[in-house]
Amino acid sequence: MKKVFFLAVLAVLSAEGIVLAEGNNLLVDDFEIAITGGPDGTVDFGAGNGSSVEVIESTDIKNSGNKAMKVVYDAVGGGYIYVSRGTGLDAKNANWNINPSDIKWEEYNAISFYVYGTDSKARIAFDIKDNGGEIWRFVTEDDFKGWKRVVCNFDKFVVRDDWQPESADKNLQLDFPIKIFQFEPLSESKGTLYFDTVELVKQ
């Protein structure tokens, strides 16, 4: 009876777009989607100034579920890359599993993701855009092989000082809710990375 009740509750939460992850963390995104680009796409991605990026789904290498997001990139000096999911992006179907405004942000102090590394020594920026449009950055390194969970405490993010949108409030304060997360392999590096299972973390 208890099992039936639990499954019924889980079905209701899933129907409302609220999915609890292991350890009371909140699953934000798991890339269980058909990954496409462009204005009607599910991922907002691109590159410029000589860099290039291809974003597709992976069914053979994944951390959880049936899919992960595969990023094939060439980040050259002076170039840039972005691979984004969230609200207010040019790709209008790039929304998370849950609406940012439905999250009780005060309950979480970090955001995490899984990345499949190749020990390439590439540096990977993980950016978030806050409610005021300001972009904050956390940097990690591909210094391992296989899947690794990267936990980014909110107090470890630093505001980007190389570029901000003109519309950003630039108040140097991380304002919730967060609207977007973004991956950017930093120059100069080249290779393939896989991303999966983005969660908000209770610690």
Side-chain angles (χ1 to χ4, degrees), residues 1-180:
M1 189 63 159
K2 289 182 178 179
K3 184 177 180 182
V4 172
F5 176 76
F6 172 77
L7 291 174
V9 171
L10 186 61
V12 171
L13 292 174
S14 298
E16 294 181 354
I18 300 173
V19 182
L20 295 179
E22 185 176 351
N24 291 325
N25 297 334
L26 183 67
L27 181 64
V28 171
D29 206 345
D30 54 4
F31 307 106
E32 295 292 304
I33 52 175
I35 292 181
T36 58
D40 295 321
T42 58
V43 180
D44 193 11
F45 64 91
N49 295 344
S51 292
S52 62
V53 66
E54 179 186 13
V55 181
I56 57 177
E57 61 190 59
S58 169
T59 56
D60 55 340
I61 297 178
K62 70 263 188 184
N63 174 66
S64 62
N66 297 312
K67 299 177 184 178
M69 183 173 68
K70 180 179 180 180
V71 177
V72 183
Y73 70 94
D74 184 1
V76 303
Y80 63 88
I81 290 170
Y82 61 92
V83 181
S84 307
R85 291 266 295 163
T87 60
L89 292 165
D90 291 337
K92 65 182 182 182
N93 295 311
N95 299 317
W96 300 343
N97 294 357
I98 183 171
N99 190 315
S101 62
D102 293 335
I103 298 172
K104 296 180 179 178
W105 289 93
E106 67 277 7
E107 296 182 358
Y108 305 96
N109 59 9
I111 185 169
S112 70
F113 61 89
Y114 281 81
V115 56
Y116 189 93
T118 60
D119 200 22
S120 67
K121 308 306 180 187
R123 296 170 69 241
I124 306 163
F126 181 67
D127 292 350
I128 54 177
K129 179 183 279 191
D130 72 10
N131 194 45
E134 198 164 26
I135 298 179
W136 298 73
R137 172 160 286 184
F138 183 99
V139 178
T140 188
E141 184 176 338
D142 175 19
D143 56 1
F144 55 91
K145 291 185 178 181
W147 286 107
K148 178 182 177 180
R149 186 187 187 212
V150 178
V151 179
C152 318
N153 283 54
F154 290 134
D155 62 2
K156 300 300 182 183
F157 279 87
V158 296
V159 67
R160 280 188 61 168
D161 59 4
D162 59 333
W163 180 82
Q164 288 288 339
E166 290 185 6
S167 59
D169 59 16
K170 303 180 181 68
N171 67 358
L172 303 181
Q173 179 175 319
L174 184 54
D175 299 309
F176 295 96
I178 293 166
K179 300 295 186 66
I180 293 167

